[in-house]
């Protein structure tokens, strides 16, 4: 079926098309009104040297060994740490640990994109089912980031008094009420409903067209049979018959009656003749 023929069917069965569109619109409106909101809260985390790491160390005394230093204190170390921590926050074990106290919630850390000196930022976005849980989940994510940052530096044996730390550098933004699934749900209902309704209209149109065609054929066959029967009856009607040499007329009731009257007159004449003959014989005998 082409687009043109499908359009003709929908226009021809316009009353079914109107019903399908109305039902789909009603269902889509119900899905739109019943969609549950989500609340999005965001914040920016900053990986920065601690105060002790930022404080210049006193000059070493001659002949003494320098103390251990943080390998990430070199240029670019904060960017490396921020990328490592943001990646760790998106792993399944860290997510499960943070979200254990926040059912039906989620959070994600963005890539470290901006830096200033030895300070690097990365965003964190959380989504919750209630507006009150957003700030609490941001704080839980911050605690997880601090733990991950500490473990990374401990693996390289950074000194306890020379560490990088992670802090929340901007106020919590939100919560914002969002409906991320509402548009998708309404679109799915609309497309699925219209597709199913179109198929149903095509099937109904096919059934009704087939039924009408069957009725026309039946009516045409009945008309042809009636015409043939009438013609056969007219063609086989008996022709007028005659009695041949005796002059018998069998063409109608009037002719039969006349024939019977003539036979009665002949019989009467024969009877009169016979009576006269017997009378004559009797007279001669006497």
């Amino acid at each position: 079926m082409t687009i043109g023929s499908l359009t003709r069917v929908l226009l021809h069965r316009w009353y079914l098309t109107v019903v399908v569109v109305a039902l789909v619109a009603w269902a889509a409106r119900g899905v739109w009104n019943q969609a549950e909101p989500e609340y999005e809260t965001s914040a920016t985390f900053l990986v920065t040297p601690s105060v002790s790491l930022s404080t210049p160390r006193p000059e070493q005394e001659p002949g003494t060994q320098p103390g251990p230093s943080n390998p990430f204190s070199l240029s670019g170390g904060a960017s490396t740490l921020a990328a490592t921590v943001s990646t760790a926050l998106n792993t399944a074990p860290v997510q499960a640990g943070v979200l254990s106290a926040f059912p039906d919630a989620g959070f994600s850390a963005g890539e470290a994109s901006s830096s200033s000196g030895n300070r690097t930022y990365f965003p964190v976005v959380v989504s919750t089912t209630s507006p009150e849980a957003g700030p609490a989940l941001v704080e839980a994510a911050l605690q997880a980031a601090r733990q991950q940052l500490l473990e990374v530096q401990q693996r390289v044996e950074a000194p306890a008094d020379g560490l990088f730390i992670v802090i929340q550098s901007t106020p919590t933004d939100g919560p914002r009420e969002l409906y991320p699934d509402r548009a998708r749900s309404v679109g799915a209902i609309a497309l699925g409903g219209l597709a199913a309704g179109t198929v149903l209209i095509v099937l109904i149109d096919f059934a009704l067209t087939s039924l009408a065609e069957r009725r026309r054929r039946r009516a045409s066959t009945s008309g042809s049979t009636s015409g043939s029967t009438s013609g056969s009856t007219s063609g086989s009607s008996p022709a007028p018959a005659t009695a041949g040499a005796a002059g018998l007329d069998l063409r109608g009731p009037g002719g039969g009656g006349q024939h019977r009257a003539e036979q009665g007159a002949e019989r009467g004449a024969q009877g009169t003749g016979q009576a006269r003959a017997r009378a004559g014989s009797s007279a001669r005998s006497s």
Side-chain angles (χ1 to χ4, degrees):
M1 177 174 286
T2 62
I3 299 297
S5 59
L6 179 61
T7 303
R8 286 192 294 271
V9 170
L10 295 178
L11 292 177
H12 179 61
R13 306 295 179 184
W14 61 268
Y15 46 92
L16 296 177
T17 304
V18 171
V19 171
V20 167
V21 172
L23 291 177
V24 170
W26 176 78
R29 180 179 178 84
V31 171
W32 180 276
N33 292 334
Q34 294 177 3
E36 295 293 335
E38 290 184 2
Y39 298 92
E40 183 180 276
T41 307
S42 61
T44 301
F45 290 175
L46 171 64
V47 175
T48 182
S50 62
V51 175
S52 59
L53 182 60
S54 302
T55 302
R57 294 189 176 187
E59 296 182 1
Q60 297 179 1
E61 297 181 1
T64 60
Q65 295 293 329
S69 61
N70 193 326
F72 296 103
S73 60
L74 300 177
S75 179
S79 299
T80 302
L81 289 173
T84 302
V85 171
S86 63
T87 301
L89 290 178
N90 291 327
T91 58
V94 175
Q95 292 264 324
V98 174
L99 298 177
S100 60
F102 300 91
D104 301 326
F107 75 96
S108 63
E111 296 181 357
S113 57
S114 60
S115 61
S116 175
N118 215 8
R119 301 153 57 93
T120 304
Y121 303 84
F122 65 92
V124 173
V125 179
V126 305
S127 60
T128 57
T129 55
S130 64
E132 298 81 10
L137 183 52
V138 169
E139 180 62 27
L142 179 60
Q143 295 300 326
R146 288 172 176 169
Q147 182 63 32
Q148 294 300 315
L149 182 60
L150 178 61
E151 292 177 0
V152 170
Q153 296 178 96
Q154 286 177 344
R155 284 196 291 267
V156 297
E157 298 180 351
D161 59 347
L163 298 176
F164 282 83
I165 60 173
V166 56
I167 61 174
Q168 182 176 336
S169 62
T170 60
T172 303
D173 184 17
R176 296 179 296 275
E177 187 176 281
L178 302 176
Y179 294 88
D181 296 330
R182 183 162 64 179
R184 289 193 295 269
S185 300
V186 171
I189 289 293
L191 293 178
L194 290 177
T198 300
V199 172
L200 180 61
I201 291 173
V202 170
L203 293 177
I204 293 176
D205 177 77
F206 178 77
L208 294 178
T209 302
S210 300
L211 181 60
E213 183 66 23
R214 193 176 300 115
R215 288 178 177 175
R216 284 195 295 268
R217 290 178 181 175
R218 190 176 303 167
S220 177
T221 303
S222 300
S224 301
T225 304
S226 299
S228 300
T229 305
S230 177
S232 300
T233 304
S234 300
S236 60
S237 58
T242 57
L248 181 61
D249 188 1
L250 301 178
R251 289 176 295 182
Q258 183 179 0
H259 174 65
R260 286 193 294 270
E262 290 175 354
Q263 286 181 345
E266 289 177 358
R267 290 174 184 171
Q270 290 177 0
T272 303
Q274 291 175 358
R276 288 178 179 177
R278 284 195 297 269
S281 297
S282 299
R284 285 193 296 269
S285 298
S286 56

